[in-house]
Amino acid sequence: MKKLLFGTVLAGVVAIGAACSNDSMQGHDMANMKNKTPEVSKQLPSATNMEVLTGKEIHLTAKEALLQINDKVKLPVYTYNGSVPGAQIRVKQGDTVKIHLKNELPEPVTIHWHGYPVPNRQDGVPGVTMNAIQPGETFTYEFTATVPGTYWYHSHQESAKQVDKGLYGTFIVEPRNEEKADRDYTLVFDEWISNPDESNMDMSGMDHSQMEHGSMNSMNHDMSMYDIFTINGKSGSAIKPLKVKKGEKVRLRLVNAGYMSHKLHLHGHDFKIVATDGQPLKDPQPIKDELLNIAPGERYDIEFTANNPGEWLLECHGNMKGTGDMKVKIQYEGEKGNTDKANATENLPVVDMTSYGKQELGEFTLDQKYDVEYTMDLGTAMGKDGMVFTINGKTYPETAPVNVKTGDLVKVKLVNHSPTDLHPMHLHGHFFQVLSKNGKPITGSPLIKDTLNLKPGEEYVVAFKADNPGNWMFHCHDLHHASAGMVTEVTYKDYKSDYKPDPNDTTNKPE
């Protein structure tokens, strides 16, 4: 994990970040979507719509399949239970759940519970909290679902590769006491290449800083090969409409499993952002005709009342090639005729989450006393093997950890010094409160997250309590940046793990 081997992981990588917007570009992996022979592909089952698994004992199987993205494109993928996204796991707050993962893939896998404060041994990071699950083996994860909300799960074994191939699903924890919406839909966003074999070009050592707005200036390559954007593994007309009835309260759980930011526009309705990264917002105000920007790894729950009969769109805004097919229809039952049209290129304001909702004091403030303070300067540099992404000038595992002990109050300043790269920073095992952006305190609802996106030049201050002992990763969720070094750890000095990685085991590849 220390260094990215560009010949195997980023050979053929293309970066087209902030796909639904006009922001600068991010990395995306193609290397493992290529070189698939027809003979292998024909032996794979077809991926189906995601299933929902409930109860206290869940069975998942990691296996290969074919994903029919639209009527023209079918791609070989990795799946949990044969679909992309994988099966949704839906449990109730307070449940102790067991998830049995059987590995039928030709390589090791794990599951990381993204955003969920599981015990450290259940975090699914090979070589850090467990050994990767070998082909043919089964491993059981067990933890109590203490915190309600919208989360997701994905492999953390060679995650830049395996997540890119579809190895992810959603994890919903229903609260004990909350009025349920009449309709509850989960939408997972991702990006794909329609013909990866034709895109097999060696771009090792390329300068990411020269890539923006769909082109790579230093090499004059057309970066529009990332031409398919999907919702729940489907694109364009293959995306099933969301059915509603007049008067219903509708909740949409939005999950970004890709490596690009997506700006989403709900047509025809006011809506409220009721949660981010699973955590509720205080008194969210209605929004109309504003874009919700969802970065890699983030989740947003939005709610609206179906009070405008017809057919409407939730669509991605921007000018990338795949943007026009990342939209889903919202159809009122019993209504006929179209009442809406796409406007994906319209320039609309973006919701400012730092001033959204009712302002009140959260658990942390900027001026209180902290036991640990850490500055995380995020950078881009050229290493001897190509581009690297650094924390305080170092790449993992040379990055200095955030050393804490149980009960410590921790303040972290994150600064993005990369000239063009976005860095969605994700902390395992904890939630943090966002206190300020670019030196200005948050003026909206207390903003509690596990993944925070930093654009070039941005600075945030966040705080959390060290209340979950273990060794936890804190890394960029553009997983190629993590693979190329942008990882550190939150290390508890008073925690002693009973897991001891074998230094001779070369199969554990946490990024």
Side-chain angles (χ1 to χ4, degrees):
M1 174 162 174
K2 175 181 175 181
K3 293 177 181 170
L4 180 61
L5 301 177
F6 280 81
T8 58
V9 179
L10 279 185
V13 167
V14 181
I16 65 166
C20 294
S21 68
N22 296 322
D23 293 333
S24 57
M25 300 170 54
Q26 305 171 44
H28 199 77
D29 183 24
M30 305 188 331
N32 297 284
M33 295 294 294
K34 64 185 182 184
N35 299 332
K36 295 286 186 179
T37 64
E39 290 74 22
V40 172
S41 298
K42 287 179 180 177
Q43 296 173 10
L44 305 178
S46 294
T48 59
N49 294 330
M50 82 169 95
E51 61 182 323
V52 177
L53 301 177
T54 61
K56 298 182 180 181
E57 197 143 0
I58 304 294
H59 292 270
L60 294 176
T61 301
K63 57 186 176 182
E64 294 178 287
L66 288 174
L67 176 64
Q68 187 79 51
I69 288 179
N70 55 34
D71 59 355
K72 297 179 181 178
V73 178
K74 183 183 289 186
L75 293 175
V77 293
Y78 283 179
T79 74
Y80 293 111
N81 283 20
S83 66
V84 178
Q88 178 171 98
I89 300 173
R90 201 171 186 104
V91 301
K92 297 187 181 302
Q93 184 183 8
D95 284 353
T96 296
V97 294
K98 290 184 178 180
I99 300 101
H100 307 284
L101 174 61
K102 182 180 181 181
N103 183 12
E104 293 183 357
L105 290 171
E107 58 185 276
V109 297
T110 67
I111 289 178
H112 164 61
W113 308 96
H114 183 111
Y116 215 73
V118 297
N120 194 232
R121 280 298 305 270
Q122 306 300 309
D123 197 42
V125 181
V128 178
T129 67
M130 64 176 292
N131 288 324
I133 305 163
Q134 299 298 317
E137 292 184 353
T138 297
F139 181 85
T140 299
Y141 294 90
E142 183 174 1
F143 56 88
T144 300
T146 55
V147 185
T150 301
Y151 307 91
W152 64 300
Y153 64 93
H154 60 79
S155 179
H156 225 288
Q157 166 78 4
E158 291 193 282
S159 52
K161 164 189 167 181
Q162 293 191 355
V163 175
D164 203 40
K165 293 187 71 170
L167 207 51
Y168 55 78
T170 53
F171 177 59
I172 310 299
V173 180
E174 297 178 346
R176 291 190 185 95
N177 300 306
E178 183 180 80
E179 181 183 352
K180 292 185 179 181
D182 300 296
R183 306 274 182 159
D184 189 324
Y185 293 109
T186 302
L187 304 176
V188 184
F189 302 88
D190 201 358
E191 316 88 22
W192 305 81
I193 304 164
S194 61
N195 195 338
D197 288 331
E198 291 183 2
S199 304
N200 180 12
M201 58 193 212
D202 186 358
M203 298 166 63
S204 58
M206 65 186 180
D207 184 356
H208 288 229
S209 68
Q210 298 299 315
M211 299 184 298
E212 58 185 68
H213 307 309
S215 65
M216 187 167 65
N217 300 335
S218 63
M219 300 178 66
N220 294 319
H221 282 297
D222 178 9
M223 308 306 289
S224 63
M225 58 190 68
Y226 285 90
D227 55 347
I228 301 183
F229 299 162
T230 58
I231 300 176
N232 292 348
K234 303 294 183 181
S235 185
S237 60
I239 301 172
K240 290 187 175 181
L242 308 180
K243 300 289 188 178
V244 301
K245 290 182 179 179
K246 185 177 180 180
E248 289 183 329
K249 182 171 75 171
V250 183
R251 175 175 285 230
L252 304 181
R253 302 175 187 267
L254 312 175
V255 181
N256 190 346
Y259 300 141
M260 308 174 192
S261 293
H262 296 292
K263 292 179 178 177
L264 304 174
H265 178 208
L266 176 64
H267 291 207
H269 299 79
D270 295 338
F271 69 94
K272 295 179 180 180
I273 305 170
V274 296
T276 177
D277 291 354
Q279 308 312 298
L281 293 165
K282 179 70 173 180
D283 293 337
Q285 65 262 29
I287 297 170
K288 180 100 181 260
D289 292 330
E290 292 187 44
L291 303 179
L292 175 58
N293 186 55
I294 178 169
E298 285 189 314
R299 290 89 63 214
Y300 287 94
D301 289 22
I302 67 173
E303 286 186 354
F304 67 93
T305 299
N307 57 9
N308 193 7
E311 181 177 275
W312 302 95
L313 293 173
L314 174 72
E315 70 170 346
C316 179
H317 272 230
N319 58 10
M320 302 302 293
K321 187 174 181 180
T323 302
D325 286 329
M326 185 177 266
K327 58 179 178 283
V328 59
K329 294 177 180 179
I330 298 170
Q331 292 181 342
Y332 281 70
E333 294 180 351
E335 297 291 329
K336 295 182 179 180
N338 296 332
T339 56
D340 194 16
K341 62 180 180 180
N343 63 352
T345 59
E346 183 177 348
N347 187 19
L348 295 174
V350 178
V351 178
D352 181 3
M353 294 303 299
T354 67
S355 60
Y356 182 74
K358 182 180 179 180
Q359 184 177 14
E360 68 175 23
L361 288 178
E363 182 178 358
F364 304 103
T365 62
L366 282 167
D367 55 2
Q368 74 183 79
K369 185 180 184 302
Y370 288 90
D371 302 293
V372 176
E373 297 191 21
Y374 185 101
T375 297
M376 190 178 293
D377 288 329
L378 310 173
T380 305
M382 288 302 297
K384 65 179 182 179
D385 296 320
M387 188 67 63
V388 295
F389 295 91
T390 61
I391 295 177
N392 298 334
K394 303 287 187 180
T395 56
Y396 186 82
E398 273 73 44
T399 50
V402 185
N403 289 311
V404 303
K405 61 181 183 298
T406 303
D408 278 351
L409 303 183
V410 185
K411 183 167 73 173
V412 179
K413 181 168 72 174
L414 302 105
V415 187
N416 185 357
H417 291 295
S418 293
T420 59
D421 291 288
L422 311 182
H423 296 309
M425 298 302 294
H426 171 53
L427 173 61
H428 287 211
H430 304 74
F431 301 108
F432 52 76
Q433 182 181 336
V434 183
L435 300 179
S436 69
K437 177 183 179 181
N438 298 333
K440 297 181 180 179
I442 300 300
T443 59
S445 166
L447 192 55
I448 313 299
K449 295 181 64 61
D450 56 69
T451 306
L452 180 64
N453 190 43
L454 286 85
K455 295 180 181 179
E458 287 187 336
E459 173 189 304
Y460 284 88
V461 175
V462 306
F464 65 94
K465 185 175 183 179
D467 56 4
N468 194 4
N471 299 314
W472 302 97
M473 286 197 159
F474 200 159
H475 66 93
C476 182
H477 219 274
D478 181 327
L479 297 173
H480 304 103
H481 296 176
S483 295
M486 192 169 278
V487 179
T488 189
E489 291 186 32
V490 173
T491 303
Y492 281 67
K493 294 179 286 188
D494 54 347
Y495 173 77
K496 186 174 181 180
S497 174
D498 55 3
Y499 167 69
K500 299 297 181 185
D502 182 353
N504 298 315
D505 187 349
T506 60
T507 62
N508 288 323
K509 298 177 181 179
E511 288 292 356

